[in-house]
Amino acid sequence: MIPPRLPPPDRKILPVWDIFATAVVVLLIAFAVNNVITNMSLAGATPGFGFLWQNAGFDVSEALIPYSPENGYYRVIIVGLLNTLLLAVVSLVLATALGLLIGLMAVGPSPIGRIAASGYVEVFRNLPKLLILLILFVTAVNELPHVRSAVGFGGFYLSNRSLYFPTLVFTPQIWGVLASMGGAILLALLMQSRLKQHRIKTGKALPMLGACVPCVLLLPVLGAWVLDVQWVWSLPEFAGFDYKGGLRLSLQFIVIALTLGLYHGAQIGEVIRGGIEAVPSGQGEAAQALGLSRGQALRLIILPQVVRIILPSMSNQYVNLIKNTSVAIAVGYADLMSVAGTIINQSFRPLEMMLITMGMYLVICLSVTMMLNRMNERLRLAQH
Amino acid sequence: MNERLISLRDLAWSAVNTPLSLVLTLLALIVFSQVGWAAGHWLVFQAVWPWQPADLCAIHSGICWPFLTEKLRFILFGTYPYDDHWRPALASFLMCALSVQTGLQMIDRGFRLNALQTLAVWGAVLLLAFVLMAGGVLGLERVDSVRWNGLPILLILSIAAIAMALPLGMFLALARAQSRFRALARMATAYIELTRAVPMLTVLFVGIFVLPLMLPPGVKISPVGATLVALIMFHASYFAEDLRGGLQSLHKGQDEAAKALGLPYWKRVGLILMPQAIQRSLPSLVNTIIGAYKDTSLVVVLGIHDLTATARMSFSDPGWRGYSLEAYFVVGLWFFVSCAFLSVIGRKLHRKAAIG
């Protein structure tokens, strides 16, 4: 009998492809860098980031931090970055809300609602986002009234240039109210965990919402009353050529946020519909058989599974949405991309500017992906 | 969804029988009536028909057909020499016809061509389209690529970019999926992840502004060429991820059986692994292709006059100001029809994949 033998160890082979690919990449990069240096020196420049401290010399339509054309390029880049982030957050909320509505309508009980949802999805999935943006933009500019005759609605004024809305003037007491609100939420969370322990121990469910909601609502009101807060509103008022006071959002911002909301709302709606339909109907029936109410079944059985199913696609959608804020350049909103474009045209520093811009998008997108991945993993662990 | 025959009456009753259902129905009906009213108003009741005089457009608020009959050729072909419009028209027609044929072939309709024949026909058509557009041979007048506008440039850019990004994506997917050559896998992964985490516009900007700097002094690249390179580099990573999904879904035994038969790597990939991976990732590939096609419209930002740009130019003409919606209507209709066709193919492929 032949004694069993271990299989022969893998032959050590020379990693030809590794060496070849590395060599090609290194050579290509060297070639490109060499050409960049030669080309730039022909134009009388050397690559470097020193230009960031030169005067930008151009104004932007809107900025979240004080900015004037005398500031350096670095500052206008920050302005653009902040505008991109604001746009991303607002459109994200819009798209999620719309997607939720569309997704629920698509699986909802009303057949007419289902038709409306699928019609909406079909239209917005089959049109390029740039076209949607341009159509909305020309329509808004043509159809909305001039600033002089802006449509007003409870302190909101919409014209074909911008939307003005009232803001609260922050006084020290308001911080007190905010603090009491935070305290109330903390208290509610504490109460919730206590109630849960109580339920686990005794098997009796105490009214959770009944205890938490009044607490969260009442405490800030109490705080406001104790501190005797003066509510000061800054209201937009028409003065001369434009409105003064309040806060201003440009029409560009509104139209882009709306476009991204509509475009990604359709896709998120599809994701949510798919997620709900992917939960087997037996789950709901089993919950019913256990005696859970409809609301309980939805909250405790169906929803957690839907969230787990849709989270990977949702994180994809969110990253895509953040990347798509760059279409803002087509209507001249001063986001990161269009600021970078202006700087490239002005300073002729394409390489440096594109490195900065791509780096910033990279950091934003990768951190969002990482955050959502972590959430995904936590939900996965909660499975058993 | 359980398959049950439901009568129309039950269906109508289900629209109103619960409060939630009633609210949703009312909401949908409000939206429908608003959209329907606006569309009817614009498309029918207030429309100025092609046979009516153009002056009426100033009075009526609906669609202005005289503007479209006047400007349609400009929207489609832009500043291409007027007398030679048959060339871009023929080129566009050929590319569309072949795209439809390939789409139908994927769902087992149309002419049945094998992979090699398909590849050959595509090569021939793309070459022919290029010759038709550029001219300079066969007695066709030379036309600079700056004047390739409208529909043909949209089709050329999207089709050529997709056609060349697919093989590149295939190599990237293979490089990332293998574990024998670590450095190669790492580089492919880094490239894919980096390009997927930045907006397409940044890659296009790199193509148009940085790429010319990276070439040796004196070497020029046309904007159309630079854009094409950028599009290929960008879409390749998306295709790579789709294909990698397909490769990873294959059973390990497939590769092992091929190895046991003594097939070398490239034969295993070419005969066993890739064909199956492509088959499995077709639904997501079609989705990526639709996205890539729609996103080609972003080249407007770089000053390339594709369909969206010519539409924009058509209403900046002082005689025809204010007819922006009409021009965008044409573009929207084109994208809607072509994307809807691709979506239908994608959905059929999904169903086919689900059946197995």
Side-chain angles (χ1 to χ4, degrees):
Chain A
M1 200 176 120
I2 308 163
R5 256 193 316 167
L6 282 172
D10 271 349
R11 249 181 324 132
K12 269 271 179 259
I13 52 151
L14 198 66
V16 215
W17 279 96
D18 275 350
I19 297 166
F20 177 69
T22 316
V24 167
V25 168
V26 167
L27 281 178
L28 267 179
I29 290 176
F31 177 70
V33 167
N34 182 34
N35 285 332
V36 168
I37 292 171
T38 335
N39 280 321
M40 282 186 79
S41 71
L42 283 179
T46 43
F49 290 95
F51 77 100
L52 286 176
W53 278 264
Q54 289 167 11
N55 273 3
F58 66 93
D59 210 354
V60 294
S61 56
E62 53 207 302
L64 294 173
I65 52 170
Y67 168 78
S68 76
E70 286 94 63
N71 289 130
Y73 280 127
Y74 74 93
R75 199 167 172 90
V76 78
I77 295 174
I78 297 173
V79 167
L81 178 66
L82 290 176
N83 278 343
T84 289
L85 289 175
L86 177 71
L87 182 60
V89 169
V90 171
S91 354
L92 225 115
V93 172
L94 265 179
T96 311
L98 202 59
L100 207 59
L101 178 71
I102 295 298
L104 291 179
M105 256 178 132
V107 293
S110 160
I112 298 172
R114 287 200 292 269
I115 295 172
S118 72
Y120 168 81
V121 169
E122 281 311 308
V123 168
F124 282 94
R125 274 215 311 192
N126 289 331
L127 291 177
K129 51 195 170 274
L130 181 71
L131 190 67
I132 302 172
L133 175 65
L134 292 175
I135 290 177
L136 286 180
F137 190 62
V138 290
T139 317
V141 170
N142 290 341
E143 299 297 318
L144 288 175
H146 190 258
V147 195
R148 254 172 237 293
S149 44
V151 264
F153 182 79
F156 287 71
Y157 293 95
L158 182 64
S159 72
N160 68 358
R161 260 198 279 164
S162 45
L163 171 76
Y164 279 94
F165 56 94
T167 44
L168 204 58
V169 178
F170 269 81
T171 52
Q173 289 109 321
I174 288 178
W175 289 112
V177 176
L178 282 181
S180 66
M181 207 184 278
I185 291 170
L186 224 66
L187 199 69
L189 287 176
L190 208 75
M191 253 155 73
Q192 204 189 354
S193 75
R194 271 294 163 82
L195 286 175
K196 197 172 176 187
Q197 276 173 9
H198 180 81
R199 196 192 70 210
I200 290 168
K201 224 187 275 170
T202 63
K204 256 186 236 156
L206 289 174
M208 208 178 282
L209 283 175
C212 294
V213 172
C215 166
V216 172
L217 287 181
L218 280 179
L219 219 62
V221 176
L222 200 73
W225 182 67
V226 168
L227 289 166
D228 190 23
V229 176
Q230 303 293 314
W231 300 100
V232 188
W233 290 89
S234 165
L235 291 170
E237 262 168 67
F238 194 68
F241 297 104
D242 207 346
Y243 282 86
K244 289 259 155 57
L247 265 186
R248 172 181 181 269
L249 281 178
S250 68
L251 187 71
Q252 278 91 337
F253 178 89
I254 295 166
V255 169
I256 301 161
L258 201 62
T259 305
L260 292 176
L262 287 168
Y263 184 80
H264 286 282
Q267 306 196 3
I268 290 176
E270 274 295 280
V271 169
I272 291 176
R273 182 189 61 80
I276 295 174
E277 281 176 357
V279 176
S281 57
Q283 294 286 329
E285 286 158 18
Q288 217 176 357
L290 285 174
L292 296 183
S293 74
R294 258 181 89 106
Q296 276 177 325
L298 203 66
R299 190 162 54 86
L300 300 170
I301 309 291
I302 309 289
L303 219 55
Q305 299 189 55
V306 172
V307 169
R308 203 170 293 152
I309 293 169
I310 66 175
L311 207 66
S313 326
M314 283 299 261
S315 93
N316 229 342
Q317 283 298 323
Y318 283 165
V319 172
N320 280 345
L321 188 147
I322 293 171
K323 287 190 283 179
N324 283 343
T325 54
S326 59
V327 292
I329 194 175
V331 289
Y333 173 71
D335 79 324
L336 182 55
M337 193 69 226
S338 70
V339 163
T342 314
I343 296 178
I344 288 175
N345 281 330
Q346 231 179 49
S347 68
F348 200 66
R349 294 283 183 172
L351 181 68
E352 293 90 332
M353 271 321 294
M354 285 328 291
L355 280 176
I356 294 175
T357 316
M358 288 173 115
M360 284 178 166
Y361 277 115
L362 206 69
V363 169
I364 300 172
C365 291
L366 288 185
S367 44
V368 169
T369 313
M370 247 151 65
M371 222 160 66
L372 288 165
N373 275 353
R374 197 164 293 171
M375 223 164 108
N376 198 5
E377 257 151 48
R378 260 184 44 190
L379 284 177
R380 232 172 252 296
L381 280 181
Q383 209 166 7
H384 39 242
Chain B
M1 275 291 191
N2 42 359
E3 297 284 334
R4 248 189 319 176
L5 283 176
I6 313 165
S7 74
L8 212 58
R9 221 172 115 240
D10 287 345
L11 206 64
W13 174 234
S14 75
V16 289
N17 61 355
T18 63
L20 175 69
S21 194
L22 192 64
V23 169
L24 289 179
T25 304
L26 284 178
L27 195 68
L29 282 178
I30 291 169
V31 172
F32 270 134
S33 58
Q34 289 291 325
V35 173
W37 173 253
H41 190 81
W42 194 69
L43 275 173
V44 186
F45 303 124
Q46 282 289 322
V48 178
W49 302 102
W51 53 86
Q52 288 175 312
D55 314 338
L56 271 179
C57 293
I59 309 162
H60 290 234
S61 56
I63 182 171
C64 178
W65 283 102
F67 164 77
L68 285 180
T69 48
E70 169 86 18
K71 285 289 183 184
L72 188 63
R73 275 178 76 164
F74 181 81
I75 294 174
L76 288 179
F77 307 124
T79 57
Y80 203 87
Y82 195 81
D83 293 329
D84 283 332
H85 272 185
W86 63 271
R87 281 158 58 182
L90 184 60
S92 309
F93 173 76
L94 282 175
M95 286 186 281
C96 287
L98 193 54
S99 305
V100 170
Q101 148 67 20
T102 309
L104 288 178
Q105 196 184 319
M106 277 195 239
I107 53 167
D108 305 325
R109 307 252 166 76
F111 299 106
R112 304 290 180 81
L113 303 175
N114 62 31
L116 207 65
Q117 285 166 329
T118 312
L119 222 59
V121 177
W122 267 112
V125 163
L126 274 177
L127 189 71
L128 192 61
F130 190 81
V131 168
L132 274 172
M133 294 301 290
V137 285
L138 305 171
L140 295 171
E141 208 177 315
R142 234 190 109 60
V143 178
D144 194 72
S145 70
V146 178
R147 298 184 73 178
W148 302 5
N149 297 162
L151 185 60
I153 194 71
L154 171 72
L155 291 173
I156 287 181
L157 278 179
S158 43
I159 291 177
I162 291 166
M164 289 189 244
L166 261 174
L168 185 59
M170 225 178 268
F171 282 113
L172 282 170
L174 286 173
R176 190 175 179 179
Q178 53 85 29
S179 55
R180 188 172 226 176
F181 303 109
R182 291 273 172 74
L184 185 64
R186 286 225 182 101
M187 281 191 284
T189 309
Y191 178 79
I192 291 170
E193 292 302 329
L194 288 184
T195 33
R196 281 170 61 94
V198 294
M200 177 165 145
L201 270 176
T202 57
V203 178
L204 287 178
F205 264 61
V206 168
I208 213 104
F209 291 116
V210 185
L211 187 64
L213 274 183
M214 288 178 167
L215 297 173
V219 178
K220 291 262 186 305
I221 183 165
S222 73
V224 172
T227 310
L228 190 58
V229 172
L231 285 173
I232 293 169
M233 302 299 270
F234 183 75
H235 295 322
S237 351
Y238 284 79
F239 288 137
E241 281 302 270
D242 291 338
L243 287 169
R244 192 171 68 101
L247 278 173
Q248 282 178 340
S249 76
L250 293 183
H251 195 274
K252 225 177 135 196
Q254 293 288 332
D255 191 33
E256 287 170 353
K259 257 186 204 160
L261 286 174
L263 291 177
Y265 181 73
W266 287 111
K267 285 224 162 135
R268 291 205 304 275
V269 166
L271 298 173
I272 314 288
L273 301 180
M274 240 336 146
Q276 295 188 74
I278 292 176
Q279 195 70 42
R280 290 194 185 198
S281 49
L282 260 183
S284 62
L285 276 177
V286 170
N287 267 343
T288 309
I289 287 174
I290 296 175
Y293 170 59
K294 284 194 298 182
D295 281 350
T296 306
S297 58
L298 287 177
V299 298
V300 177
V301 177
L302 308 178
I304 289 179
H305 299 302
D306 82 326
L307 201 56
T308 316
T310 49
R312 229 172 170 182
M313 277 150 68
S314 73
F315 61 81
S316 59
D317 182 342
W320 294 103
R321 242 172 239 285
Y323 297 110
S324 42
L325 272 188
E326 281 83 351
Y328 287 144
F329 176 68
V330 173
V331 183
L333 205 62
W334 169 259
F335 271 108
F336 185 79
V337 170
S338 46
C339 291
F341 170 73
L342 292 173
S343 300
V344 169
I345 303 279
R347 224 165 292 158
K348 291 241 162 99
L349 286 171
H350 252 300
R351 220 163 293 152
K352 221 168 94 176
I355 293 164

